[in-house]
Amino acid sequence: MEQMDIKNRWGKWAGCLAVMAVLLLAVLPVKAQKSSLLWKIKNPETKAVSYIFGTYHLIGSAYLDENAPVKKAYEEAETVVVETELDSSAMMMVAMKAMMLDNSLKSLVDSADYVLLKQEIEPIIGMPISQFDNVKPIMLSTMYSVAKAQEVTPKDFTFDGTPIDLFFAEDGKEKGKKVVPLETAMEQAEILFDSQTVEEQAAALVENVKAEVEDDLSAEILDAYQKQDLDKLWELSQDWDESMGEMTLLLDDRNKKWIPKLKPLLDEGRVFIAVGALHLPGEMGVLELLKAEGYKVSSQ
């Protein structure tokens, strides 16, 4: 039981970039995308067929029982591609990445903003923010955003089971599928904790909280995901421009690095790719990058 609890907590962290891709990222104008979370990818030369699915990390694996096309695409795949895999051996190194032993949250924000953070964050996450005083602010910002999203998630969209990104990796292995991670846990940790200075992270945390207080964007974002509306997700994320930071590092650069890893797999076919939903749309999104490589991409 304790091992499963650790796995689930790790799974929630490991998928935080997927959550942030839905909740927090700045954006640029993009081409319109048909409303869909599941896309078919076909190699016009080999005729090999694969699928890509945009995840929302907070949902459980029972989501598949109510989404037959996604479940079918996953079950028929021989290879499963995920953003990262559970790697318990890296947990200590990841935890150290999160620390800022020579600084503190109290010293990074003014007293009025610190009071605001206490008032707004503590009731949401159920812990005093003083426990995170020497943790890089991006962790607290992510926890807050995830908790806010969970708070507004309707009961009919919670879904039981393992967090869905973690499910694809674990269940894929159990079923004898080839599971391919696009990034290591440490690579994700470096993106999460080192893409901004701690000063920038602290400022983003304050802006994040103020944006939620004023607009409660989490509910709108979740509604857009439920409607499978990638364009709306992309549009809403513009409101987080000041609260998250460098979109190029968090989305564009990662998308471009993924394509060379995906191509040899897609040329063979029968691949199921599960990545955060906002990796899909946009001029530098995975869908457009695959089209530029000659693949035929169509919504399902």
Side-chain angles (χ1 to χ4, degrees):
M1 180 67 71
E2 183 179 354
Q3 183 179 11
M4 180 56 69
D5 185 51
I6 291 173
K7 281 188 174 183
N8 284 338
R9 291 201 306 269
W10 174 259
K12 288 181 180 179
W13 177 86
C16 68
L17 288 179
V19 176
M20 285 156 49
V22 176
L23 293 176
L24 302 175
L25 296 177
V27 298
L28 298 172
V30 299
K31 297 178 181 178
Q33 301 282 354
K34 184 176 179 180
S35 293
S36 181
L37 298 173
L38 180 67
W39 294 74
K40 180 179 178 180
I41 306 166
K42 185 175 181 179
N43 184 315
E45 295 181 0
T46 66
K47 308 302 180 186
V49 173
S50 299
Y51 292 88
I52 186 168
F53 170 60
T55 67
Y56 184 84
H57 185 69
L58 298 182
I59 59 177
S61 54
Y63 174 87
L64 299 177
D65 295 331
E66 298 186 19
N67 291 269
V70 177
K71 186 174 183 179
K72 183 174 184 289
Y74 165 68
E75 291 183 342
E76 292 183 353
E78 295 179 352
T79 300
V80 176
V81 177
V82 292
E83 289 192 31
T84 192
E85 279 189 284
L86 172 66
D87 183 1
S88 57
S89 64
M91 289 180 68
M92 184 60 68
M93 294 176 64
V94 168
M96 291 305 296
K97 270 282 182 188
M99 304 303 294
M100 52 173 188
L101 301 180
D102 58 346
N103 218 323
S104 68
L105 180 61
K106 271 190 174 180
S107 67
L108 291 171
V109 300
D110 64 38
S111 57
D113 284 338
Y114 191 80
V115 170
L116 173 68
L117 295 180
K118 282 181 60 68
Q119 290 176 339
E120 297 299 328
I121 294 178
E122 290 184 349
I124 298 295
I125 68 172
M127 290 181 284
I129 64 171
S130 59
Q131 293 186 13
F132 300 89
D133 207 40
N134 296 114
V135 178
K136 291 178 181 176
I138 189 65
M139 177 60 82
L140 194 56
S141 185
T142 301
M143 290 178 63
Y144 173 70
S145 295
V146 170
K148 285 288 290 185
Q150 290 174 322
E151 188 180 61
V152 300
T153 301
K155 290 183 179 180
D156 63 354
F157 201 71
T158 53
F159 300 105
D160 295 327
T162 305
I164 197 162
D165 302 85
L166 182 60
F167 169 82
F168 288 132
E170 292 188 338
D171 187 74
K173 284 187 175 180
E174 289 177 7
K175 286 184 166 59
K177 300 177 187 291
K178 179 181 179 181
V179 177
V180 179
L182 293 169
E183 299 164 335
T184 66
M186 278 303 296
E187 285 174 330
Q188 284 209 340
E190 288 169 358
I191 295 169
L192 177 63
F193 297 119
D194 296 340
S195 294
Q196 296 174 295
T197 66
V198 292
E199 290 80 10
E200 290 170 334
Q201 291 178 28
L205 171 61
V206 173
E207 291 302 318
N208 183 0
V209 170
K210 289 180 178 178
E212 280 286 9
V213 170
E214 294 171 1
D215 302 318
D216 198 17
L217 292 174
S218 295
E220 293 182 83
I221 290 167
L222 178 60
D223 180 66
Y225 186 87
Q226 286 181 274
K227 293 175 180 176
Q228 303 194 36
D229 191 342
L230 294 184
D231 283 335
K232 186 63 175 179
L233 283 173
W234 198 256
E235 176 188 334
L236 285 170
S237 66
Q238 293 182 77
D239 294 328
W240 291 92
D241 191 8
E242 296 299 325
S243 67
M244 196 55 224
E246 185 54 62
M247 185 267 293
T248 300
L249 289 171
L250 293 170
L251 275 185
D252 294 357
D253 287 353
R254 296 169 71 208
N255 292 346
K256 288 186 285 188
K257 289 178 181 177
W258 291 351
I259 298 302
K261 297 179 181 180
L262 291 174
K263 287 178 64 178
L265 301 174
L266 295 174
D267 291 345
E268 294 181 8
R270 302 196 69 173
V271 179
F272 179 83
I273 306 164
V275 295
L278 273 192
H279 285 286
L280 273 57
E283 293 181 352
M284 296 305 296
V286 173
L287 300 180
E288 289 297 325
L289 292 177
L290 288 174
K291 289 178 184 178
E293 294 291 335
Y295 294 96
K296 302 297 182 183
V297 180
S298 57
S299 59
Q300 299 299 291

